[in-house]
Amino acid sequence: MTTQIIFVLLVLGIGFAIGSTTMPGQWYAAQIKPSFNPPNWVFAPVWSVIYLLIALAGARTWQQAPYGVAMMLWTVQMLLNFAWSPVFFAWHRSGLALGIIVAMLFAIIGFIVERWPTDRTAALLFVPYAAWVAFATLLNAGIFMLN
């Protein structure tokens, strides 16, 4: 198997497993949400595309510098990404989730900055991810403050 296929299978597979076991339920439905909160159906397709981009950037980085700072940042953001859903949706800890997503956003931006000089493609693959997580951070903060 190529590195890209392995990364895609791992990232999408783990993301799907976490997403399917931490579906928004009654707790989330009862939360007061910011006016800019999109409908629930938007999240799955957006995350699917973003996970594909994350996987491709990770595979490129692994092939070029498997033990470098960028790969460390990629791994950290991935661990934070996978931690967020259980903390928010299963544990109902929107404040702790907010801390996780802010740390994730810093790791994502750090990855972009780190990859930019040597692999602009990997850096650019993370730009939509950074934009989406910045938006998700605002949603998380809104839910935290409104509830």
Side-chain angles (χ1 to χ4, degrees), residues 72-145:
M72 180 199 66
L73 288 165
W74 186 92
T75 302
V76 166
Q77 67 74 30
M78 201 78 268
L79 292 171
L80 292 166
N81 182 305
F82 290 154
W84 185 87
S85 285
V87 170
F88 188 85
F89 291 117
W91 299 353
H92 309 152
R93 301 282 310 272
S94 60
L96 179 57
L98 181 57
I100 290 170
I101 202 167
V102 168
M104 183 186 353
L105 185 56
F106 277 105
I108 292 165
I109 293 167
F111 178 87
I112 293 168
V113 169
E114 181 67 25
R115 293 310 289 155
W116 189 259
T118 56
D119 186 359
R120 290 217 171 125
T121 300
L124 289 170
L125 287 168
F126 258 48
V127 170
Y129 180 32
W132 182 253
V133 170
F135 176 67
T137 301
L138 293 175
L139 288 175
N140 189 157
I143 291 169
F144 177 67
M145 292 187 314

Side-chain angles (χ1 to χ4, degrees), residues 6-81:
I6 292 168
F7 269 76
V8 168
L9 290 175
L10 282 173
V11 172
L12 285 172
I14 295 170
F16 176 77
I18 290 171
S20 64
T21 59
T22 59
M23 298 281 292
Q26 291 179 345
W27 172 83
Y28 180 72
Q31 297 300 294
I32 301 167
K33 295 171 195 74
S35 60
F36 54 89
N37 194 78
N40 286 346
W41 66 264
V42 168
F43 293 95
V46 168
W47 274 114
S48 297
V49 171
I50 287 173
Y51 278 150
L52 178 62
L53 299 175
I54 292 168
L56 295 174
R60 291 179 64 88
T61 302
W62 179 262
Q63 289 172 325
Q64 296 171 11
Y67 304 106
V69 171
M71 198 69 227
M72 180 199 66
L73 288 165
W74 186 92
T75 302
V76 166
Q77 67 74 30
M78 201 78 268
L79 292 171
L80 292 166
N81 182 305

